Amino acid sequence: MALRRTEFKDETVQSESLSGMKAKRVFSNSEKEKKILTTFSIEPSFKADLEELFNDMGLGWAAGVRFALREFHKKYSDKN
């Protein structure tokens, strides 16, 4: 006697993590420019200072770095 395997797929239950959903939303939007993942090295004490500064501004680490890079670009791109 053979048993037949039945698969049950519940479409209403989504077990995806919050970060996974955010990543899909950020990277799937075709209207926005594609994101580029970058890495760099920084001293732990300097990073802690920056994290504190960004936190005071209401920004997380990544948003603070993006903000700082935009401000740096604005300041130095006009003086060519």
Side-chain angles (χ1 to χ4, degrees):
M1 179 174 155
L3 295 175
R4 193 165 102 187
R5 182 175 162 187
T6 59
E7 292 184 20
F8 177 72
K9 206 183 236 186
D10 189 359
E11 300 278 335
T12 61
V13 178
Q14 297 280 334
S15 62
E16 192 171 349
S17 67
L18 181 60
S19 60
M21 290 187 291
K22 284 182 180 179
K24 276 188 178 178
R25 185 180 40 174
V26 167
F27 291 107
S28 68
N29 191 350
S30 61
E31 294 175 11
K32 291 184 179 180
E33 190 174 1
K34 297 279 184 188
K35 304 286 185 202
I36 298 172
L37 178 63
T38 61
T39 59
F40 58 94
S41 299
I42 188 170
E43 295 89 358
S45 59
F46 185 55
K47 183 176 187 248
D49 291 342
L50 288 176
E51 284 178 320
E52 185 177 333
L53 174 66
F54 296 155
N55 190 34
D56 292 343
M57 296 170 65
L59 300 171
W61 170 252
V65 169
R66 286 190 299 269
F67 172 79
L69 289 171
R70 274 190 229 106
E71 291 300 310
F72 180 86
H73 184 263
K74 282 183 203 174
K75 183 176 180 178
Y76 292 104
S77 66
D78 295 336
K79 296 182 179 182
N80 288 339

